[in-house]
Amino acid sequence: MNDPYLIPNSFVLKNKLNITNQEKLDIAESAISKAKLHSILDVKGNFDYKHLMDLHKHILGDIYEWAGQPRVMDIEKAEPVLSGMSVQYSNHKQIPTEAVAAINKLKNVNWSNLDTYEQKAEAFSKNMATLWQVHPFREGNTRTITEFCVQYAATQSIFLNQNLFAENASFTRNALVMASIGEYSDFSHLNRIVKDAMESGDKARVSVKEKAEQIKSTSKDIFSLKGVKEIDAKNKAQQDQTKEKKRDHSR
């Protein structure tokens, strides 16, 4: 099938940067998308299909004209962990329907009833993999869907360390592949990194909270009556020393 996304007689995606070399495009895409992720929270939405599209457009809109739009063709990708076979992604005509269904499943989970990291990681992994298998976009699915799911989890007071996914991008994608092969799906790898991301995310929040409490406590001491008196006494002592030095010089 002819791929309308490719530069003619090439395997390189058409792009706004007019790059025709795959290696150079990979470098540019990585750098630009990482920079765009710093402002990703500026993209507001209701964690629905449109929100998913908007996140993708924000991340890759400076590179591809079609960013923020579902793919218009069926795709296959040879996966090393599947000995060159591909995950069976959604038919492109079914993307809106199947993406909406996957998002609704994610949002219908009663997250407050899940007590352990294991329970939360299992539910998160299952729903993330379901949405990922739809593969709504020609490129940028893992980045966009990870961001979408992590942001949604935060609204349910489940905080994941996003950097863990970014720093282990290949592992994350391979884990998603293994969790998306029907009856043979293996969620163990995805559960593992999701659980680690939840645990490290909570530890980071506790650390930030403790530092904030320390600053707050210090501020209270500074602006308490005792603190003000100590500062006044210190200032007075310095002033007395200055006056004494001036007297010595005038003698």
Side-chain angles (χ1 to χ4, degrees):
M1 178 181 176
N2 182 47
D3 189 337
Y5 294 96
L6 297 180
I7 296 171
N9 303 314
S10 167
F11 291 105
V12 179
L13 291 168
K14 297 175 184 175
N15 58 87
K16 293 181 178 181
L17 308 176
N18 296 316
I19 295 174
T20 58
N21 177 276
Q22 186 62 56
E23 185 178 353
K24 291 181 179 179
L25 179 59
D26 289 342
I27 293 171
E29 182 186 310
S30 177
I32 293 172
S33 62
K34 283 180 181 177
K36 297 296 287 185
L37 283 170
H38 289 300
S39 57
I40 195 70
L41 293 180
D42 292 342
V43 182
K44 306 300 181 183
N46 298 316
F47 294 100
D48 51 16
Y49 182 72
K50 181 181 182 302
H51 194 179
L52 181 67
M53 296 294 121
D54 289 345
L55 287 171
H56 186 264
K57 185 174 183 178
H58 180 85
I59 296 170
L60 294 175
D62 289 346
I63 308 168
Y64 302 118
E65 291 285 354
W66 42 265
Q69 301 172 27
R71 55 184 165 81
V72 297
M73 61 174 290
D74 293 336
I75 58 173
E76 291 185 349
K77 295 184 178 182
E79 303 291 350
V81 292
L82 297 180
S83 300
M85 294 189 295
S86 175
V87 170
Q88 186 174 345
Y89 301 116
S90 293
N91 180 289
H92 72 279
K93 294 179 181 179
Q94 298 299 316
I95 287 173
T97 301
E98 294 184 5
V100 168
I103 291 169
N104 287 340
K105 283 183 179 179
L106 173 71
K107 296 170 75 172
N108 286 335
V109 174
N110 193 341
W111 296 98
S112 60
N113 283 352
L114 305 178
D115 299 320
T116 67
Y117 284 122
E118 287 77 11
Q119 292 173 330
K120 293 173 184 177
E122 184 176 339
F124 184 91
S125 298
K126 182 178 179 181
N127 285 280
M128 180 182 178
T130 299
L131 181 56
W132 183 84
Q133 191 174 352
V134 176
H135 240 59
F137 312 108
R138 179 61 178 80
E139 181 67 26
N141 289 280
T142 302
R143 280 165 288 183
T144 304
I145 290 167
T146 300
E147 184 65 38
F148 180 88
C149 292
V150 168
Q151 282 194 29
Y152 176 72
T155 69
Q156 305 301 306
S157 298
I158 299 173
F159 304 97
L160 293 94
N161 178 2
Q162 178 75 302
N163 290 334
L164 195 61
F165 296 114
E167 292 166 0
N168 299 277
S170 295
F171 180 93
T172 300
R173 192 180 191 287
N174 287 337
L176 283 162
V177 168
M178 294 304 296
S180 304
I181 49 178
E183 62 181 304
Y184 302 105
S185 293
D186 177 2
F187 285 89
S188 61
H189 306 292
L190 189 57
N191 287 345
R192 173 184 156 195
I193 192 168
V194 167
K195 179 174 174 286
D196 287 348
M198 288 180 177
E199 290 178 338
S200 60
D202 275 350
K203 286 178 181 177
R205 283 178 58 78
V206 169
S207 177
V208 170
K209 186 176 180 180
E210 288 176 346
K211 288 180 180 178
E213 288 297 329
Q214 289 175 356
I215 293 171
K216 186 177 178 181
S217 177
T218 302
S219 298
K220 283 182 179 179
D221 287 343
I222 290 174
F223 293 105
S224 67
L225 181 59
K226 179 184 176 183
V228 170
K229 286 181 177 179
E230 289 177 350
I231 292 172
D232 286 343
K234 185 177 181 180
N235 288 339
K236 187 176 184 304
Q238 290 176 341
Q239 290 173 358
D240 290 343
Q241 288 178 357
T242 301
K243 288 179 181 178
E244 188 62 34
K245 288 180 179 179
K246 286 182 178 179
R247 287 198 199 98
D248 292 339
H249 285 304
S250 62
R251 288 173 183 172

